[in-house]
Amino acid sequence: MQDRPLSLPHVFRRVERYFGHKTVVSGRVDGETAMTWAEVCARVRRLAAALDELGVPAGARVGTFAWNSHRHTELYLAVPCTGRVLHTINHRLFGEQITYIVNDAEDDVLFVDRSILPAVWPLIDTFTTVRAVVVMDDGGDTEIPDDDRIVDYEDLLWSTKDSGREFTVADEDTAAALCYTSGTTGNPKGVLYSHRSVVLHAGLLLMVDTFGLSERDVVMPIVPMFHVNAWGLPYSAMLCGADLVLPGPAMSPPELADLLARHKVTFGAAVATVWRGLLPLLDQHDLSSVRQIVSGGGAVDEALSRAYRDTIGVPLTNAWGMTETSPVVTTSRIGTAHDHYTHEEKRALLGTPGPAIPLTEVRIVGDDGQEAPWDGRTPGELQASGPTIAAGYFGPDGGTAAFTEDGWLRTGDVATIDGHGYVRIVDRTKDLVKSGGEWISSVELENAIMDHPDVAEAAVIGVADAKWGERPVACVVAHPGTTPTAESVREHLRDRVASWWLPDQVFFLDEIPKTATGKFSKQQLRSLYRTGAHPAEHAK
Amino acid sequence: MQDRPLSLPHVFRRVERYFGHKTVVSGRVDGETAMTWAEVCARVRRLAAALDELGVPAGARVGTFAWNSHRHTELYLAVPCTGRVLHTINHRLFGEQITYIVNDAEDDVLFVDRSILPAVWPLIDTFTTVRAVVVMDDGGDTEIPDDDRIVDYEDLLWSTKDSGREFTVADEDTAAALCYTSGTTGNPKGVLYSHRSVVLHAGLLLMVDTFGLSERDVVMPIVPMFHVNAWGLPYSAMLCGADLVLPGPAMSPPELADLLARHKVTFGAAVATVWRGLLPLLDQHDLSSVRQIVSGGGAVDEALSRAYRDTIGVPLTNAWGMTETSPVVTTSRIGTAHDHYTHEEKRALLGTPGPAIPLTEVRIVGDDGQEAPWDGRTPGELQASGPTIAAGYFGPDGGTAAFTEDGWLRTGDVATIDGHGYVRIVDRTKDLVKSGGEWISSVELENAIMDHPDVAEAAVIGVADAKWGERPVACVVAHPGTTPTAESVREHLRDRVASWWLPDQVFFLDEIPKTATGKFSKQQLRSLYRTGAHPAEHAK
């Protein structure tokens, strides 16, 4: 067979030649932009030439701080198709984390949406490798600093021209994209996606039993393009020629509902928090075009799914994955084995992760290191393997704790698998809180709290939250003779962690319950919280 | 990313773990067999051990002469999953060709359906490398020769047991399967499929815009499993967990119609000849389960497609490929750009090859060696590239004439491609009729003739002409009970094709000679014409 790499230049050629007439809509602060893929591709060719002129070396990381937009899409193609690495960064992270990530990745240039500039520019002098910051006008009114390092995206594009060169990435194992995940402890870790993994993953989402994306779809990734490549949806849309609707900074529920209805979106993807926020607006919009909405970042809230089913006729469907897995590993679906289920049972099933998609394998492993049976009852740590799953982390000190001796990824989730291969997440081995689809490290938050001069001990647990799925709750023991308040703890944290990490509730206890080995017993804390046995008078 | 090969052991593990409850139905001479995939997989494990016991070396070719059946499916898995090469052979070839192919491939053992034994056993002494012939009982009553080289398949399976070993093929470029194509000239040439190409191709058929196969499908490959792996459909069915209905030797129209109806087949694939044969039987069966029927091996006959549409509500859809291309390269579909088409226009579009599927690229190249524009008018030789397309032929003297300098496959078909990438085959390079310096498309002319109410089949060949260089000659089979005349055919064509396309001669035959794969044999027709062996009394 021909030695043809699975690489993004194929995806570029395909969308350019076959789907030039299809559209990419991008929300802006001040309206929206509609472009054809032909226009986007012509801009990609210019951007590729501009990257050359900027002197970005082969293999160098190009950092992006951007909403979902056609410009971000242009970067998704031009950067990897020219052998550079697209490094998407979550601008909502705490400043120190952003600095760490940019420096760890050794980003050569940054592309930043104008409305996001306030989160990035103040850090510019902490970046050790960044030579230039390209500002993309998303309609935001942030003042552009008068600085030699600042370049305007459109100026850059229009000061150059398509060099006419064909894109080639001959080795499919070449790095294409980089995304950092916040681990349980220590610094964020980078996951490097290869051209091979990106292209395979893009194709997997086109399969009927995965997401079944096709040329007839209008795909709206509400999940950010800085979050595991927006679940790979932009690349899948390019491969099949679907229209793409990108909300940009227009992320409020009324704006999202308007986009869904006006552009007749057929497929939407977001974390549960977004779908929950949209619920009150559904009956004001015609959403009859929607055929599937995927709710990721945790199990689907059944009441929410039922509400969608009742309102727009489509329940929420679940999918499971993580930054290390490209991300989609499982997707929920009703198999022929479930034809006898009631409607309610089917809806409930759709709210669970479902079976692994092709090319990807999962297993559950018990505490004894043995694979647990697929009986739907026995739990074990969920482990994943496949060509779209990470083998390690970016950089020399990426660490190997997350991988087994035979090279499987330890996901940190505890799951059961039933006889048909349907995964259900039952617990988490890692000490993490998942809020709005993003991880919060309990350990880091605890350390930050314990930095407070009046705090002796602190433990953080995740508790169910209607809006965010989970929120962190801090359990604090004060130093003798001091009386810290919940507000003083939050105030202390404000310039130490991202604002969305701030615990909504802070409880003061006489002591943190401990395990036999002296570790904080999160299990007992969670149990205390659930039963309301936490001393109410300590709540502030 | 993890270094996980795209190889068939993954497909085996997937069908075994996820889809053990799904079924494989196999037609027999004397009835049919239904098995679950779990049963098939258990037999695959035994067969793998049996291949070890037979001493078949790694990399050796295992030849099969078999109908579509669960046993052939077991070979599809056990042979490549243990690092051997599955070599499927068309038993309808001439004896000399079979001998050539078996010896060229250096087949180590042969697996032969009992009903096919008469085509193979008489050649046994012409085979230079075959050590054993394993006979598979398909209900045929052929006497089994009393010979040491003969082994019974079930005896082989039940004299061993699953060794319990895990299948591993670490290098995805390892050869998995071998299939010979009858070239236009010279000896048949072998095309070697790698594990990578087989797995990629299997996945491609699951994509919505390709065939959209899913766990809910009941797939019936009528196209033989010795013909380019039955278009890869068995492997796709394993990957997605579809039920499989394999007709075995039950290939008569009444048997096929019965299988389609009784097993509620949703997806069928065959050459046009088969669909034509089934047409008179459609109204006697409930075929409401059918969602797609693909007619390959040439453009779809419009009248036939219309008849299917009118009878069972589903038109024929086309796909294009060849042995060298795994085989699917293009599949027909109605894109959003065709939404304004009339029903008739849509049906006609579905009868053409359509656009290339993901991972695969096509181009058309003119006589000047330059790529022709995608304008829907300019013809050029169709060339194909991608990881599922051959780079050469099996063996040292495979020849390179079919490949360009930059490694693309020269398909030998002449095509146009329109602005949306839709391919239309104009003709085979060697079949083109060039009259007065202008090309005449035999295919279009044949379709126009077959629209004649009294015409069942028509084939057009070019014959030398003193004045025009070449002129088209029509070879026509009348519908039973009708007696169309040459003049009535010409009259019918007068407002359908250009006047210079009108065939000067129209011959009426009892049947059009066909190749082993059911296509019109232009070669035999030309030979018939040259030797004057066409029944003169039929000429009108």
Side-chain angles (χ1 to χ4, degrees), chain B residues 25-291:
Chain B
V25 168
S26 309
R28 294 169 53 85
V29 170
D30 53 355
E32 73 183 31
T33 307
M35 282 190 178
T36 62
W37 275 112
E39 291 172 286
V40 171
C41 288
R43 291 166 58 87
V44 168
R45 289 183 173 277
R46 283 179 174 275
L47 177 56
L51 291 170
D52 293 346
E53 284 177 25
L54 276 176
V56 181
R61 268 72 64 197
V62 174
T64 67
F65 290 90
W67 301 104
N68 296 6
S69 73
H70 71 86
R71 291 196 184 85
H72 211 169
T73 305
E74 288 152 22
L75 288 157
Y76 262 49
L77 282 168
V79 174
C81 283
T82 57
R84 286 111 177 173
V85 181
L86 175 80
H87 175 208
T88 57
I89 309 164
N90 183 349
H91 60 271
R92 290 170 177 147
L93 293 172
F94 293 115
E96 276 177 27
Q97 285 176 301
I98 290 177
T99 297
Y100 174 84
I101 288 172
V102 168
N103 291 339
D104 189 62
E106 300 179 25
D107 289 330
D108 186 52
V109 295
L110 299 178
F111 285 74
V112 186
D113 270 353
R114 184 167 176 178
S115 71
I116 297 175
L117 211 51
V120 181
W121 187 253
L123 305 169
I124 187 70
D125 292 327
T126 69
F127 300 153
T128 53
T129 56
V130 173
R131 296 187 297 115
V133 174
V134 183
V135 177
M136 302 185 283
D137 186 355
D138 62 353
D141 57 2
T142 307
E143 200 175 328
I144 310 286
D146 182 14
D147 191 291
D148 283 351
R149 290 167 295 188
I150 294 270
V151 183
D152 177 74
Y153 184 87
E154 295 297 324
D155 285 351
L156 184 69
L157 238 61
W158 298 101
S159 67
T160 182
K161 58 178 184 177
D162 165 24
S163 62
R165 70 156 156 158
E166 284 305 309
F167 298 139
T168 307
V169 173
D171 179 355
E172 65 189 33
D173 292 324
T174 302
L178 175 65
C179 190
Y180 278 70
T181 179
S182 32
T184 40
T185 56
N187 283 315
K189 292 180 170 66
V191 177
L192 201 55
Y193 309 104
S194 64
H195 280 261
R196 173 182 164 100
S197 71
V198 169
V199 172
L200 285 176
H201 188 272
L204 289 169
L205 302 195
L206 310 190
M207 296 178 187
V208 179
D209 288 336
T210 306
F211 289 157
L213 300 180
S214 79
E215 193 267 334
R216 303 205 79 85
D217 272 312
V218 180
V219 176
M220 178 157 145
I222 303 175
V223 54
M225 287 173 73
F226 57 71
H227 183 75
V228 212
N229 302 327
W231 300 356
L233 291 167
Y235 290 126
S236 294
M238 294 170 203
L239 197 60
C240 72
D243 286 328
L244 209 46
V245 177
L246 303 169
M251 289 288 281
S252 73
E255 289 169 307
L256 293 175
D258 173 63
L259 283 170
L260 284 164
R262 199 155 38 80
H263 296 293
K264 301 193 195 309
V265 169
T266 62
F267 183 95
V271 292
T273 315
V274 169
W275 299 122
R276 197 172 289 118
L278 277 168
L279 189 58
L281 305 169
L282 296 185
D283 54 9
Q284 301 159 31
H285 297 271
D286 173 9
L287 298 184
S288 56
S289 58
V290 173
R291 69 164 180 83

Side-chain angles (χ1 to χ4, degrees), chain A residues 94-376:
Chain A
F94 186 56
E96 275 178 25
Q97 285 175 302
I98 290 177
T99 296
Y100 174 84
I101 288 172
V102 168
N103 291 339
D104 189 62
E106 301 179 24
D107 288 330
D108 186 51
V109 294
L110 299 178
F111 286 73
V112 186
D113 271 350
R114 184 167 176 178
S115 71
I116 297 174
L117 210 50
V120 181
W121 186 253
L123 305 169
I124 186 70
D125 292 329
T126 69
F127 300 153
T128 53
T129 56
V130 173
R131 296 186 298 114
V133 174
V134 183
V135 178
M136 302 184 283
D137 187 355
D138 62 352
D141 57 3
T142 307
E143 201 174 329
I144 310 287
D146 182 13
D147 191 291
D148 283 352
R149 291 166 292 188
I150 294 271
V151 184
D152 177 74
Y153 184 86
E154 295 298 323
D155 284 352
L156 183 71
L157 239 60
W158 298 102
S159 67
T160 182
K161 59 178 184 177
D162 166 24
S163 62
R165 69 157 157 161
E166 284 304 309
F167 297 139
T168 308
V169 173
D171 179 356
E172 66 189 35
D173 292 323
T174 303
L178 177 64
C179 190
Y180 277 71
T181 180
S182 29
T184 39
T185 55
N187 285 314
K189 292 182 172 66
V191 177
L192 202 55
Y193 308 104
S194 65
H195 281 261
R196 172 181 164 102
S197 72
V198 169
V199 171
L200 286 175
H201 187 271
L204 288 169
L205 302 195
L206 310 190
M207 296 178 186
V208 179
D209 288 336
T210 307
F211 289 156
L213 299 181
S214 80
E215 194 267 335
R216 302 205 79 85
D217 272 312
V218 180
V219 176
M220 180 156 143
I222 302 174
V223 55
M225 287 172 75
F226 57 71
H227 184 79
V228 214
N229 302 327
W231 299 357
L233 291 167
Y235 289 125
S236 293
M238 295 171 203
L239 197 61
C240 71
D243 286 329
L244 209 46
V245 177
L246 303 169
M251 290 289 282
S252 74
E255 289 170 307
L256 293 174
D258 173 64
L259 283 170
L260 284 163
R262 201 154 37 81
H263 295 295
K264 300 191 194 311
V265 169
T266 61
F267 183 94
V271 293
T273 313
V274 169
W275 299 123
R276 198 169 287 119
L278 277 168
L279 188 59
L281 304 170
L282 295 185
D283 54 9
Q284 301 159 32
H285 297 271
D286 173 10
L287 298 184
S288 56
S289 58
V290 173
R291 70 165 179 84
Q292 186 172 4
I293 36 184
V294 180
S295 174
V300 168
D301 170 349
E302 286 214 25
L304 182 64
S305 180
R306 197 181 306 118
Y308 265 80
R309 176 72 182 233
D310 293 347
T311 320
I312 66 166
V314 178
L316 298 178
T317 57
N318 199 207
W320 183 91
M322 48 200 289
T323 304
E324 289 86 340
T325 63
S326 292
V328 181
V329 172
T330 72
T331 57
S332 67
R333 63 182 173 79
I334 306 299
T336 54
H338 311 107
D339 278 345
H340 65 285
Y341 276 29
T342 65
H343 282 304
E344 283 297 288
E345 287 170 333
K346 284 180 183 168
R347 196 187 33 64
L349 185 70
L350 287 177
T352 66
I357 63 177
L359 306 192
T360 302
E361 300 187 28
V362 294
R363 68 185 180 194
I364 43 177
V365 176
D367 289 339
D368 56 357
Q370 297 301 304
E371 215 183 314
W374 289 19
D375 58 12

Side-chain angles (χ1 to χ4, degrees), chain A residues 57-90:
Chain A
R61 269 71 65 200
V62 173
T64 66
F65 291 90
W67 302 105
N68 296 7
S69 73
H70 71 88
R71 291 196 184 86
H72 213 169
T73 306
E74 288 152 21
L75 288 157
Y76 263 49
L77 283 169
V79 174
C81 282
T82 58
R84 285 112 178 174
V85 181
L86 174 82
H87 174 207
T88 56
I89 309 164
N90 182 351

Side-chain angles (χ1 to χ4, degrees), chain A residues 1-6 9-10 13-14 17-19 21-22 172 191-194 196-197 199-200 202-204 206-209 211-217 239-240 323-324 326 333-337 339 355-363 371-374 384-392 403 406-409 417 419-422, chain B residues 1-6 9-10 13-14 17-19 21-22 172 191-194 196-197 199-200 202-204 206-209 211-217 239-240 323-324 326 333-337 339 355-363 371-374 384-392 403 406-409 417 419-422:
Chain A
M1 295 288 113
Q2 293 176 10
D3 183 19
R4 293 292 190 263
L6 305 173
H10 166 74
R13 286 193 295 275
R14 186 166 173 85
R17 293 212 85 162
Y18 286 88
F19 307 119
H21 59 295
K22 303 301 296 288
E172 66 189 35
V191 177
L192 202 55
Y193 308 104
S194 65
R196 172 181 164 102
S197 72
V199 171
L200 286 175
L204 288 169
L206 310 190
M207 296 178 186
V208 179
D209 288 336
F211 289 156
L213 299 181
S214 80
E215 194 267 335
R216 302 205 79 85
D217 272 312
L239 197 61
C240 71
T323 304
E324 289 86 340
S326 292
R333 63 182 173 79
I334 306 299
T336 54
D339 278 345
I357 63 177
L359 306 192
T360 302
E361 300 187 28
V362 294
R363 68 185 180 194
E371 215 183 314
W374 289 19
S385 170
T388 57
I389 316 280
F403 302 91
D406 60 348
W408 288 55
L409 172 72
I417 304 181
H420 291 118
Y422 280 60
Chain B
M1 295 288 112
Q2 293 176 11
D3 183 19
R4 293 293 189 262
L6 305 173
H10 165 75
R13 285 193 296 273
R14 186 168 173 84
R17 292 212 85 160
Y18 287 88
F19 308 119
H21 59 295
K22 305 300 297 287
E172 65 189 33
V191 177
L192 201 55
Y193 309 104
S194 64
R196 173 182 164 100
S197 71
V199 172
L200 285 176
L204 289 169
L206 310 190
M207 296 178 187
V208 179
D209 288 336
F211 289 157
L213 300 180
S214 79
E215 193 267 334
R216 303 205 79 85
D217 272 312
L239 197 60
C240 72
T323 305
E324 289 86 341
S326 291
R333 62 182 174 81
I334 306 299
T336 54
D339 279 345
I357 64 175
L359 306 192
T360 301
E361 300 187 28
V362 294
R363 68 185 180 194
E371 215 184 316
W374 289 20
S385 170
T388 56
I389 316 280
F403 302 91
D406 58 349
W408 288 55
L409 172 72
I417 303 181
H420 292 119
Y422 279 60

